[in-house]
Amino acid sequence: ISGDNFCTVPLSSTKSALIVCDGMGVGEEAARMSSAALTILEQLLSTGFEPEGAVKALNSILVLRSPEESFVTIDMAILNLETDTARLIKIGAAPTYVMAKDKINTIETSSLPAGILNDIEIPVIDILFKEHTLVMVTDGVLDVVNKEEDWLKAFLEQSNKLSAQELADKIIKEAVRLAGGCLEDDGVVLVVARKDVT
């Protein structure tokens, strides 16, 4: 059972939210936490909450919910096809990679996971999303090697011409290979590619 989960939430005909959530630990309890957090976020976004407000509300719910530790990381991308932009909200999450034709940008924040503090900062990063590929992962994918350099960024630089599904499959295979055949932590890879159709 994976403690990491993801979902997509349509916000309008041209706008969608993609959310990756990592529950504390591994296995069933982590899966329950990440799944519950995604359900709450989905309900809040579907009823008209702004993404930042939805994350703040989720944080308050997690803080009040139980006396024992129950926290999750949240990695959210709100894609707006009308404005060719994406808004990234990262709460304790692993880096996100934005692939363009000739360059890969790594986007990371230093915020704590949701459910720890009563009041949290909501880091928001707005990016261009026109002919780009977005790669979102949980830390179980990145932490397969204990090196200072970012193995995934180097890997993506060699994999720029693949489709979204092919790229996701290749990242998972490479992470398992680097981990010696078995990931110690749960992992999710979510890849979204936007191509110019004109």
Side-chain angles (χ1 to χ4, degrees):
I1 297 172
S2 175
D4 301 353
N5 278 297
F6 71 94
C7 73
T8 61
V9 185
L11 303 175
S12 74
S13 60
T14 57
K15 214 172 182 183
S16 282
L18 312 173
I19 312 166
V20 175
C21 197
D22 182 351
M24 183 188 70
V26 295
E28 201 170 329
E29 183 59 23
R32 189 186 62 75
M33 275 193 296
S34 64
S35 179
L38 285 176
T39 300
I40 292 166
L41 283 173
E42 194 170 352
Q43 288 170 344
L44 291 169
L45 290 168
S46 298
T47 54
F49 268 73
E50 286 298 314
E52 296 92 323
V55 171
K56 283 204 176 229
L58 171 66
N59 181 69
S60 299
I61 291 165
L62 291 177
V63 168
L64 295 170
R65 197 169 201 174
S66 69
E68 75 264 13
E69 290 182 332
S70 62
F71 53 83
V72 296
T73 69
I74 299 158
D75 204 353
M76 187 186 302
I78 299 96
L79 308 181
N80 190 329
L81 303 183
E82 199 170 28
T83 60
D84 296 329
T85 59
R87 171 163 284 194
L88 307 181
I89 297 174
K90 303 181 68 61
I91 310 294
T96 293
Y97 302 85
V98 183
M99 301 172 67
K101 279 179 185 170
D102 54 352
K103 177 165 129 173
I104 296 173
N105 287 327
T106 307
I107 297 172
E108 49 193 324
T109 63
S110 57
S111 62
L112 290 168
I116 297 176
L117 300 174
N118 285 320
D119 193 30
I120 58 168
E121 292 289 316
I122 308 285
V124 176
I125 303 109
D126 289 310
I127 62 165
L128 187 67
F129 187 66
K130 194 171 183 181
E131 291 181 62
H132 298 82
T133 299
L134 202 62
V135 179
M136 299 163 74
V137 298
T138 52
D139 60 0
V141 174
L142 289 182
D143 294 347
V144 291
V145 288
N146 296 317
K147 291 181 183 173
E148 287 301 312
E149 69 265 20
D150 184 340
W151 78 263
L152 184 50
K153 185 173 184 184
F155 183 77
L156 292 175
E157 283 166 355
Q158 309 301 316
S159 312
N160 218 352
K161 294 192 172 144
L162 299 173
S163 72
Q165 187 62 59
E166 287 170 336
L167 183 55
D169 291 341
K170 267 193 84 170
I171 292 167
I172 292 164
K173 279 182 188 159
E174 182 65 5
V176 170
R177 187 189 73 78
L178 290 170
C182 183
L183 295 179
E184 285 184 22
D185 192 4
D186 300 321
V188 163
V189 177
L190 183 61
V191 179
V192 185
R194 183 162 187 217
K195 307 294 183 193
D196 187 5
V197 291
T198 55

